[in-house]
Protein backbone atom coordinates (compact mmCIF):
# COMPACT_ATOMS: atom_id res chain seq x y z
CA UNK A 1 0.00 0.00 0.00
CA UNK A 2 2.75 2.46 0.89
CA UNK A 3 4.55 2.17 -2.45
CA UNK A 4 1.31 2.75 -4.37
CA UNK A 5 0.62 5.93 -2.41
CA UNK A 6 4.17 7.14 -2.70
CA UNK A 7 4.45 6.54 -6.44
CA UNK A 8 1.03 8.14 -6.97
CA UNK A 9 2.38 11.51 -5.88
CA UNK A 10 5.88 11.14 -7.24
CA UNK A 11 7.36 11.24 -3.76
CA UNK A 12 9.46 8.68 -1.97
CA UNK A 13 9.60 8.47 1.80
CA UNK A 14 13.32 9.27 1.56
CA UNK A 15 12.57 12.46 -0.41
CA UNK A 16 9.95 13.46 2.14
CA UNK A 17 12.22 12.83 5.10
CA UNK A 18 15.14 14.65 3.49
CA UNK A 19 12.98 17.65 2.49
CA UNK A 20 13.13 19.18 6.00
CA UNK A 21 11.01 22.22 5.27
CA UNK A 22 11.73 22.58 1.54
CA UNK A 23 9.22 22.11 -1.25
CA UNK A 24 9.12 18.45 -2.23
CA UNK A 25 9.50 17.60 -5.91
CA UNK A 26 6.59 15.90 -7.59
CA UNK A 27 5.32 14.95 -10.99
CA UNK A 28 3.64 17.85 -12.86
CA UNK A 29 0.12 16.38 -12.90
CA UNK A 30 0.14 14.70 -9.50
CA UNK A 31 -3.15 14.96 -7.65
CA UNK A 32 -3.24 15.53 -3.93
CA UNK A 33 -6.21 14.15 -2.04
CA UNK A 34 -7.15 14.78 1.56
CA UNK A 35 -10.08 13.82 3.77
CA UNK A 36 -10.83 15.84 6.89
CA UNK A 37 -13.49 14.94 9.44
CA UNK A 38 -14.42 17.65 11.95
CA UNK A 39 -15.16 15.79 15.20
CA UNK A 40 -17.24 18.70 16.56
CA UNK A 41 -19.60 19.17 13.61
CA UNK A 42 -19.42 15.57 12.31
CA UNK A 43 -18.81 16.94 8.81
CA UNK A 44 -16.39 15.26 6.40
CA UNK A 45 -14.79 16.67 3.26
CA UNK A 46 -12.97 14.32 0.87
CA UNK A 47 -11.38 16.20 -2.04
CA UNK A 48 -8.58 16.41 -4.51
CA UNK A 49 -7.36 19.82 -3.38
CA UNK A 50 -4.41 20.22 -5.74
CA UNK A 51 -3.32 19.12 -9.22
CA UNK A 52 0.39 19.62 -9.81
CA UNK A 53 1.10 23.09 -8.49
CA UNK A 54 -2.50 24.36 -8.86
CA UNK A 55 -4.82 24.43 -5.87
CA UNK A 56 -8.47 23.77 -6.73
CA UNK A 57 -10.56 26.71 -5.50
CA UNK A 58 -13.79 24.73 -4.86
CA UNK A 59 -11.89 22.12 -2.84
CA UNK A 60 -10.02 24.75 -0.83
CA UNK A 61 -13.35 26.50 -0.09
CA UNK A 62 -14.88 23.22 1.13
CA UNK A 63 -11.91 22.59 3.42
CA UNK A 64 -12.04 26.18 4.69
CA UNK A 65 -15.70 25.76 5.60
CA UNK A 66 -15.04 22.48 7.42
CA UNK A 67 -12.21 24.10 9.41
CA UNK A 68 -14.33 27.08 10.55
CA UNK A 69 -14.50 27.92 14.25
CA UNK A 70 -17.15 25.43 15.38
CA UNK A 71 -18.02 27.61 18.38
CA UNK A 72 -19.27 30.62 16.38
CA UNK A 73 -19.13 29.61 12.70
CA UNK A 74 -16.47 32.21 11.82
CA UNK A 75 -14.47 31.40 8.68
CA UNK A 76 -10.85 32.20 7.93
CA UNK A 77 -8.43 31.35 5.13
CA UNK A 78 -6.23 28.35 5.90
CA UNK A 79 -2.54 28.27 4.94
CA UNK A 80 -2.43 26.02 1.87
CA UNK A 81 0.95 24.65 2.98
CA UNK A 82 -0.86 23.02 5.90
CA UNK A 83 -2.82 20.77 3.52
CA UNK A 84 0.42 19.74 1.82
CA UNK A 85 2.02 19.08 5.19
CA UNK A 86 -0.86 16.79 6.20
CA UNK A 87 -0.84 15.01 2.85
CA UNK A 88 2.92 14.41 2.93
CA UNK A 89 2.87 13.18 6.53
CA UNK A 90 0.20 10.62 5.62
CA UNK A 91 2.28 9.44 2.65
CA UNK A 92 5.35 9.16 4.89
CA UNK A 93 3.26 7.10 7.34
CA UNK A 94 2.09 4.82 4.53
CA UNK A 95 -1.54 5.80 5.13
CA UNK A 96 -4.31 7.39 3.14
CA UNK A 97 -4.48 11.12 4.05
CA UNK A 98 -7.63 10.84 6.20
CA UNK A 99 -7.62 12.95 9.33
CA UNK A 100 -9.88 13.69 12.26
CA UNK A 101 -9.71 17.41 13.05
CA UNK A 102 -9.91 18.34 16.71
CA UNK A 103 -9.28 22.02 16.05
CA UNK A 104 -8.84 24.07 12.90
CA UNK A 105 -9.39 27.82 12.76
CA UNK A 106 -10.12 29.56 16.06
CA UNK A 107 -11.49 33.07 16.19
CA UNK A 108 -9.70 35.47 18.54
CA UNK A 109 -12.75 35.36 20.85
CA UNK A 110 -12.77 31.55 21.02
CA UNK A 111 -9.03 31.41 21.53
CA UNK A 112 -9.17 34.00 24.33
CA UNK A 113 -11.92 32.06 26.07
CA UNK A 114 -9.99 28.80 25.78
CA UNK A 115 -6.61 30.25 26.81
CA UNK A 116 -8.10 31.92 29.90
CA UNK A 117 -8.88 28.53 31.47
CA UNK A 118 -6.15 27.51 33.91
CA UNK A 119 -4.06 24.63 32.59
CA UNK A 120 -5.73 24.69 29.17
CA UNK A 121 -2.43 24.64 27.27
CA UNK A 122 -3.92 27.02 24.67
CA UNK A 123 -1.49 29.74 23.56
CA UNK A 124 -2.77 33.32 23.72
CA UNK A 125 -1.28 34.03 20.28
CA UNK A 126 -2.08 30.64 18.74
CA UNK A 127 -1.47 30.09 15.04
CA UNK A 128 -4.99 28.60 14.94
CA UNK A 129 -6.17 32.23 14.84
CA UNK A 130 -4.18 32.84 11.63
CA UNK A 131 -5.36 29.67 9.88
CA UNK A 132 -1.88 28.19 10.20
CA UNK A 133 -2.54 25.32 12.61
CA UNK A 134 -4.60 22.17 13.06
CA UNK A 135 -4.91 19.61 15.82
CA UNK A 136 -5.38 16.22 14.19
CA UNK A 137 -5.34 12.45 14.31
CA UNK A 138 -4.36 10.43 11.23
CA UNK A 139 -6.44 7.30 10.57
CA UNK A 140 -4.37 4.10 10.71
CA UNK A 141 -1.41 5.88 12.34
CA UNK A 142 -0.70 6.36 16.02
CA UNK A 143 -0.37 9.94 17.18
CA UNK A 144 3.12 9.17 18.50
CA UNK A 145 4.16 7.98 15.02
CA UNK A 146 2.56 11.04 13.39
CA UNK A 147 4.48 13.25 15.83
CA UNK A 148 7.76 11.47 15.01
CA UNK A 149 7.21 11.93 11.28
CA UNK A 150 6.38 15.62 11.78
CA UNK A 151 9.49 16.10 13.90
CA UNK A 152 11.62 14.52 11.18
CA UNK A 153 10.06 16.74 8.50
CA UNK A 154 10.64 19.86 10.67
CA UNK A 155 8.19 21.95 8.62
CA UNK A 156 6.57 23.85 11.47
CA UNK A 157 5.45 23.53 15.05
CA UNK A 158 4.73 20.06 16.41
CA UNK A 159 2.85 19.61 19.68
CA UNK A 160 2.07 16.16 21.02
CA UNK A 161 -0.90 15.80 23.36
CA UNK A 162 -0.66 12.19 24.50
CA UNK A 163 -3.50 12.21 27.03
CA UNK A 164 -5.91 13.84 24.55
CA UNK A 165 -4.50 11.73 21.68
CA UNK A 166 -3.82 14.36 19.03
CA UNK A 167 -0.96 16.16 17.33
CA UNK A 168 -0.80 19.91 16.77
CA UNK A 169 0.76 20.81 13.40
CA UNK A 170 1.39 24.31 12.14
CA UNK A 171 3.26 26.19 9.43
CA UNK A 172 5.11 28.53 11.77
CA UNK A 173 8.75 28.18 12.73
CA UNK A 174 9.95 24.74 13.79
CA UNK A 175 9.48 24.12 17.50
CA UNK A 176 8.16 21.23 19.57
CA UNK A 177 6.38 20.61 22.85
CA UNK A 178 4.29 18.11 24.75
CA UNK A 179 0.90 19.07 26.13
Amino acid sequence: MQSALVSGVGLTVAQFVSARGKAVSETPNAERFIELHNIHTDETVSVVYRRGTVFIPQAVASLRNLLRDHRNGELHDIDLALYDQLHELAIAAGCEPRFDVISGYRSPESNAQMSSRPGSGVAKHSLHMQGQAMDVRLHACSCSNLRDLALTAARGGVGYYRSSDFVHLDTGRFRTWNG
Side-chain angles (χ1 to χ4, degrees), residues 21-91:
K22 298 180 182 101
V24 179
S25 64
E26 61 182 53
T27 57
N29 295 320
E31 288 188 338
R32 290 189 170 214
F33 163 85
I34 197 166
E35 178 177 289
L36 301 181
H37 172 77
N38 185 317
I39 67 165
H40 299 287
T41 64
D42 200 30
E43 296 168 288
T44 301
V45 171
S46 301
V47 292
V48 171
Y49 69 92
R50 183 174 147 186
R51 286 193 179 92
T53 60
V54 178
F55 286 87
I56 301 167
Q58 301 88 340
V60 170
S62 294
L63 292 166
R64 178 181 186 254
N65 184 60
L66 178 104
L67 294 168
R68 69 190 179 277
D69 186 330
H70 69 271
R71 292 163 197 83
N72 62 17
E74 190 174 314
L75 293 168
H76 193 281
D77 289 338
I78 304 298
D79 187 344
L80 300 175
L82 198 50
Y83 302 132
D84 282 340
Q85 185 179 8
L86 293 174
H87 179 86
E88 291 163 6
L89 286 168
I91 298 306

Side-chain angles (χ1 to χ4, degrees), residues 76 105 166:
H76 193 281
Y105 170 69
F166 70 84

Side-chain angles (χ1 to χ4, degrees), residues 89 141-153 158-162 166-167 169 176-178:
L89 286 168
C141 180
S142 70
C143 284
S144 62
N145 189 35
L146 178 60
R147 173 212 51 209
D148 293 347
L149 290 166
L151 290 173
T152 300
V158 181
Y160 178 52
Y161 294 82
R162 183 174 178 233
F166 70 84
V167 178
L169 300 167
T176 183
W177 66 93
N178 291 312

